[in-house]
Amino acid sequence: MLADNPLFTILLVVVAIYIFLKFCGWAKGFQLSGQLRKWVFILTGLGMVVFNYLYAKGNALIHATGDWSGATIALLASLIWVFIFAFALMAETKPNE
């Protein structure tokens, strides 16, 4: 299977890093208010706890029934939040008017 090939895995990681760096460069062209950025950072801290809990529940589901759906949902949700956090981190802060 292609996914078992280590070179394919390395190539997949390199492509993912490239896409993430392109996304961060794109996000630099935007401006967010300081208040919104602060709330994204606060929610990121809370999200770390929630995503860890969801992933632990997903791992328990894998061990109990062999069902990967819980861990997959936790992983996808956390990856989406990574992009939201990166956008907030990379966007410029609007000057106070």
Side-chain angles (χ1 to χ4, degrees):
M1 179 174 210
L2 186 60
D4 294 331
N5 186 341
L7 291 176
F8 177 75
T9 305
I10 291 171
L11 180 63
L12 195 62
V13 169
V14 169
V15 169
I17 291 171
Y18 177 77
I19 290 170
F20 184 73
L21 290 175
K22 285 302 225 181
F23 175 79
C24 288
W26 173 77
K28 282 185 177 182
F30 290 89
Q31 288 187 343
L32 296 176
S33 69
Q35 195 74 352
L36 179 62
R37 287 175 57 120
K38 179 177 75 173
W39 277 107
V40 169
F41 297 155
I42 291 169
L43 290 174
T44 299
L46 294 174
M48 286 175 36
V49 174
V50 171
F51 294 135
N52 279 323
Y53 175 76
L54 289 176
Y55 197 68
K57 286 294 190 183
N59 279 338
L61 187 63
I62 291 170
H63 291 296
T65 64
D67 183 12
W68 282 75
S69 63
T72 303
I73 290 170
L75 178 66
L76 292 176
S78 64
L79 286 175
I80 290 169
W81 193 259
V82 164
F83 277 91
I84 292 170
F85 176 70
F87 183 83
L89 190 64
M90 296 304 294
E92 298 289 328
T93 304
K94 281 185 182 177
N96 290 339
E97 296 176 4

